[in-house]
Amino acid sequence: MHMDLVTIVVDEYDPAIAFFVDALGFELAEDTPSMTNEGRAKRWVVVRPPGGGTGLLLARADGDRQSAVVGNQIAGRVGFFLRVDDFEASYTRMAAAGVRFVTEPRDESYGRIAVFLDVAGNRWDLLGPNPSEGPRRDR
């Protein structure tokens, strides 16, 4: 058993795709026309980290209730965790691509960390190994 998808509610599909693919380096796994339960047009958009793993379903907000949660799906907490093998290279690449970091990188007992915002405003942890351990090669 594994978790296949997690939904992130976004304002628009294309800026969200650009953020996750261009800025974070995810792969566009699927972008298919679809319909809401009420018959309105939508797209089924899935992005995944390189090599697979749990994907993100980028769901365009449909109505006031869904629009209200864009960027606040986890009530302002960090709700998503992106683990990388080479923290410094990933941090530098993401910052150069315009990713907004809201904390400076710091070292914790569980590794190197910096908090960033996604295209919708949700908080993510960028996580890497402790600097004393060097880049992880087991993933």
Side-chain angles (χ1 to χ4, degrees):
M1 180 183 321
H2 71 275
M3 185 173 297
D4 187 43
L5 296 173
V6 174
T7 299
I8 292 185
V9 182
V10 298
D11 286 320
E12 294 295 335
Y13 295 113
D14 293 330
I17 292 168
F19 176 84
F20 284 100
V21 172
D22 298 337
L24 297 192
F26 283 33
E27 297 169 346
L28 180 60
E30 189 171 355
D31 186 353
T32 307
S34 188
M35 301 293 273
T36 67
N37 291 333
E38 292 79 24
R40 290 183 300 280
K42 69 175 187 176
R43 290 159 57 186
W44 182 263
V45 178
V46 176
V47 294
R48 292 184 189 279
T54 302
L56 298 175
L57 174 65
L58 303 178
R60 185 182 64 201
D62 184 27
D64 292 341
R65 184 172 178 207
Q66 291 180 22
S67 292
V69 302
V70 172
N72 196 28
Q73 293 184 158
I74 314 296
R77 295 184 56 104
V78 170
F80 305 95
F81 303 84
L82 183 60
R83 182 162 298 277
V84 296
D85 293 333
D86 187 336
F87 180 91
E88 295 306 324
S90 297
Y91 177 84
T92 300
R93 181 185 53 76
M94 290 167 60
V99 174
R100 182 171 163 229
F101 283 89
V102 295
T103 68
E104 292 295 320
R106 68 183 190 276
D107 296 323
E108 296 289 346
S109 61
Y110 50 85
R112 191 122 169 95
I113 179 175
V115 178
F116 69 92
L117 302 179
D118 68 20
V119 67
N122 296 299
R123 296 169 78 87
W124 289 64
D125 275 355
L126 176 66
L127 298 165
N130 282 320
S132 61
E133 297 174 4
R136 293 181 66 164
R137 301 289 181 217
D138 62 335
R139 292 187 184 214

